[in-house]
Amino acid sequence: MAYRNLAKKSRRGPTAPMKRFIDLETKNLNSEVIKTTNSFSDEIKTISSFSTDHPLTNSQENQKLNQYENKVKGRFDNIVPLLKRVSSLQNDLNFVERAQNLCRSELGYELPLHILEKAWVGSIDISALFAWCVFQSHQLTSNEFFNSDPIEGSENSQYAKSFQSFLYQCGFHLLDITPCADGRLAHAISYALRIPFSSVRRRSHAGALFDIEKTVNRWIKTEHSRYRESTPNSATEPTRYLKSVIYHFSSVDPTHQGCAAHGSNDELAASEGLQRLLDFREAVENSFCCGASVDLLLIGIDTDTDAIRVHTPSKTNEVDLKSWVCANEIYKETQFLKAEEALQKIQENIKRVCPGETDPNMVMFITRLISNNISQIDYVKNFHSGSYQDAGHAERFIGVGIGFKEVHLRNLTYFAHLETVEQGAPDLDVGVKIFTGLNISRSLPIPIVIRFDYSGSVPHARNRALSDCHRINEAIKSRYRDLIDNGSLHTFLTIRDRDKKAPAEVVGSSLDPVTQEAH
Amino acid sequence: MAYRNLAKKSRRGPTAPMKRFIDLETKNLNSEVIKTTNSFSDEIKTISSFSTDHPLTNSQENQKLNQYENKVKGRFDNIVPLLKRVSSLQNDLNFVERAQNLCRSELGYELPLHILEKAWVGSIDISALFAWCVFQSHQLTSNEFFNSDPIEGSENSQYAKSFQSFLYQCGFHLLDITPCADGRLAHAISYALRIPFSSVRRRSHAGALFDIEKTVNRWIKTEHSRYRESTPNSATEPTRYLKSVIYHFSSVDPTHQGCAAHGSNDELAASEGLQRLLDFREAVENSFCCGASVDLLLIGIDTDTDAIRVHTPSKTNEVDLKSWVCANEIYKETQFLKAEEALQKIQENIKRVCPGETDPNMVMFITRLISNNISQIDYVKNFHSGSYQDAGHAERFIGVGIGFKEVHLRNLTYFAHLETVEQGAPDLDVGVKIFTGLNISRSLPIPIVIRFDYSGSVPHARNRALSDCHRINEAIKSRYRDLIDNGSLHTFLTIRDRDKKAPAEVVGSSLDPVTQEAH
């Protein structure tokens, strides 16, 4: 992103806001603040251009991210108004042509002919058209994401490269984050924490309760790469695997809009998230010798304001569930300070809530998270009146399977990360329940995008991903037979070669025309 | 096993047969034969005591293995005769007591009281009693296996330790074998190949078509342990991971009793097995740098005689599907030779069928397999008239899930290795079809043992294994509703902590008494 390269450009002839930040580095701050500030220097942020923004806020980045959010969500939100117009045309003699022209010019794609052509017989199947439009919108967004890296988080981006160095400076060779699968956390990485998506392993799970055995396997793969290939760094370097959990709560309606998996009970969400982290560490420590371990970080997020709370772990990995540093409070405490003073305050707060001796590397990392999150607090202030209108669920589709690297927008996708419906049915049932309220109550169907990522370098892996897609599709058809039968649930099957970093490939849909078999 | 330690005992005062073998080592054989012979020396076999046995046959081991087979299969085969007697008693006033006495004395366990006590009202539920007895027989056998290592293949056994050294001598740090899941191959490792079960990773799959992605993961785990923990040896040692597939065919009825997964087509079974091996190697080579690769070995087995055929791979891993060394032919060719001459002939044959330059280590390994298999050919000759009476399926129960390390007898278990019924349904359906023929046709139910092994050192892994068991049980109930409803399918739920190497734990059964809820 051009705006992320301002730091370098600025050095050749700094802009006014840039100069203010560079001044930070020359001031007589204590050494740790300087260390933290230095670590930011490569992708230093431009300081607020909104007069009310916090001095640490990257206002230009906020503008760009808002444009992206508006563009993508606009695609989905334009569907209903357009289909109302299509509906009003259905008795027109030139209906098909007029509908296609309208859709092409307003949404950028056509409607399926085999559905439009049936309109003259009875009434048009608007429900099927709605699902079609959702799937097309998803596909356009997905293609754009893999083709042009609109939020500039791919591993080739400058931002990702510099963030990766920052991670090493903090002593971490891998960052593995599990947010709750709730659609209101789908933007947690790229927006709320401003971490380039390629710098983090994201595995969303209901209640942030990740699978221990699978995460241990992921840890093994990472360590094996370090030993064999020195990727991301050599196993001889004393860096750590950082596993983080993001639980969530609601400041506006705490008893109803918190985490459904924990009955909107914040304390439970935090304690179960921490327990899962501790269990993971114990699994690694018990299963491997030679001091094998991981670092842990527990984060909470307010789904109304996107403000995070971080439970600072001590040097010996103690975590206090009742003690955290809250980005929102820090925001208020520091909004009228200079940037360097604000950073210092952040560090003080981080240290204050630590239940033991602090680890300077961890403090540096959390300082970055809080500082990044301050931009997001201003994002929500500026573009969502300080608190999201859609306090509850407002996802546009359900994503089922393995993948969806491209989803980074709040309330775009309810994600059921699963390999089989048999294992993932509870998560999927919650998704169907949510969409019964969101869509079926408005006579609109539930759109489900199925995705299986595969590794193209493994022989026949594409075929297996294809079979997985169809297997899941059949399992969904069997589990939600009534919804399928009355056209209230549609599926869209996609696979993606993660080695090629190419867009996903569409391999089927419940909206495909039924081919008559010859007799 | 005492008989496996004969070599050491013999050195203090060799028996006549031992002396014959020791003479081998002093003879002026070519160096490779000596090398091979030396590698056998630690667990050297006693030479045939059956006058007709092949000079390389370990007759005493055959006797012991036959005793084990008879004991275990006897447990299952005594069930029907006993239940016929129980059935004849059902109108007796002292029925419960007499039935229990009979069962206790003949089978070694009691029948479930809540089923017996209903007998006076109508007729006794013999079908449920049959399933109960199968489950008890399995449990007794399973406990015995983990408690007393009856076939002496555990990692603490002398045989396993010496076989492991032999593997290193052959240049392999891990032996990973996939036989077909067909019950007629359940004894392939411990009987047909005489490999200690703890020295091999066994993953049975229908048609021997193992899962590439999971096997790559297993390879990663192995390599990671070598790098991190020098287990089983250090990554700096130039040893290899050997992946082998065992396909099968029938010499007695080749077009009907071959591998069902390949339509009883031997060529197809071999070529698809080889393709899977090549795909696995390609996946490893494409996914990792630094010369990552694996060695491959394709083996066929005749399910009537247990004679194997081995497709000798060349030094550069070429394999010829049409060229193999057949243990049965070698048996005939060498049965009247001296042991050392027989070994030399084996080596010559192994080299002759190789499609390129031979790898001496691989020749040494295959020589061992063929030599071991000659014992099994005599086993089938002596105890099964040279060809099994049960040419087709005759399994006693279906094993579903992850585990069953204790099953090493031919036609004891039809194995559906699966994590979910959703993914493993095709294999399970085949099992149910087989048992429809074997049991339901005789008005006996299908007994399914569910097993999930877990790693007790991972927090809450036991709970997850328990949930997995119940999930699979529910999925089976849902898939085979009609069979369940009329009592024609029973399940037995077990879990096992693989870290403790302890027996499995029974955690439920469809035969448990139904507890009435209070109102």
Coordinates of all heavy atoms in Angstrom, one line a residue, chain B residues 10 35 54 66 141 336 344 367 369 380 384 395:
Chain B
S10 N 21.8 -70.9 22.8 CA 22.5 -71.9 22.0 C 24.0 -71.7 22.0 O 24.8 -72.6 21.9 CB 22.0 -71.9 20.5 OG 20.6 -72.1 20.6
K35 N 26.8 -61.0 5.0 CA 26.3 -59.8 5.6 C 24.8 -60.0 6.1 O 24.4 -59.7 7.2 CB 26.4 -58.6 4.6 CG 26.1 -57.3 5.2 CD 26.2 -56.2 4.1 CE 25.8 -54.9 4.5 NZ 25.5 -54.0 3.4
H54 N 10.6 -76.3 5.6 CA 11.7 -75.7 4.8 C 12.9 -75.4 5.8 O 12.7 -75.1 6.9 CB 11.2 -74.4 4.2 CG 12.1 -73.8 3.2 ND1 13.3 -73.1 3.6 CD2 12.1 -73.7 1.9 CE1 13.9 -72.6 2.5 NE2 13.2 -73.0 1.5
N66 N 0.7 -70.6 16.4 CA -0.6 -71.4 16.2 C -1.4 -71.5 17.4 O -2.6 -71.4 17.5 CB -0.2 -72.7 15.6 CG -1.4 -73.5 15.2 OD1 -2.3 -73.0 14.6 ND2 -1.5 -74.8 15.7
T141 N -9.1 -60.7 24.9 CA -8.0 -60.8 24.0 C -7.2 -59.6 24.0 O -5.9 -59.6 24.0 CB -8.5 -61.1 22.6 OG1 -9.3 -62.3 22.6 CG2 -7.4 -61.3 21.6
F336 N 14.9 -78.2 -0.6 CA 15.8 -79.3 -0.4 C 17.3 -78.8 -0.3 O 18.2 -79.7 -0.3 CB 15.6 -80.4 -1.4 CG 14.2 -80.8 -1.5 CD1 13.4 -80.6 -2.6 CD2 13.6 -81.5 -0.4 CE1 12.1 -81.0 -2.7 CE2 12.3 -81.9 -0.4 CZ 11.5 -81.7 -1.6
Q344 N 21.1 -67.8 -0.3 CA 21.8 -67.3 -1.5 C 20.9 -67.2 -2.7 O 20.8 -66.2 -3.5 CB 23.0 -68.1 -1.8 CG 24.0 -67.5 -2.8 CD 25.4 -68.1 -2.7 OE1 25.6 -69.1 -2.1 NE2 26.3 -67.4 -3.3
T367 N 15.4 -59.9 1.6 CA 15.8 -61.3 1.9 C 15.2 -61.7 3.2 O 14.7 -62.8 3.4 CB 17.4 -61.4 2.0 OG1 17.9 -61.0 0.7 CG2 17.8 -62.8 2.3
L369 N 12.5 -60.5 4.6 CA 11.0 -60.7 4.5 C 10.7 -62.0 3.8 O 9.8 -62.7 4.3 CB 10.4 -59.6 3.6 CG 10.5 -58.1 4.1 CD1 9.7 -57.2 3.2 CD2 9.9 -58.1 5.5
V380 N 1.0 -72.2 7.2 CA -0.2 -72.5 6.5 C -0.3 -74.0 6.0 O -1.3 -74.6 6.1 CB -0.4 -71.5 5.3 CG1 -1.8 -71.8 4.6 CG2 -0.4 -70.1 5.8
H384 N -3.1 -75.3 8.3 CA -4.3 -75.0 7.5 C -4.2 -75.7 6.1 O -4.7 -75.2 5.1 CB -4.4 -73.5 7.2 CG -4.5 -72.7 8.5 ND1 -5.8 -72.6 9.1 CD2 -3.6 -72.1 9.3 CE1 -5.6 -71.9 10.3 NE2 -4.3 -71.6 10.4
E395 N -14.6 -62.7 9.2 CA -14.2 -61.9 10.4 C -15.2 -62.1 11.5 O -16.3 -62.4 11.3 CB -14.1 -60.4 10.0 CG -13.0 -60.0 9.0 CD -13.4 -60.1 7.6 OE1 -14.4 -60.7 7.2 OE2 -12.6 -59.4 6.8

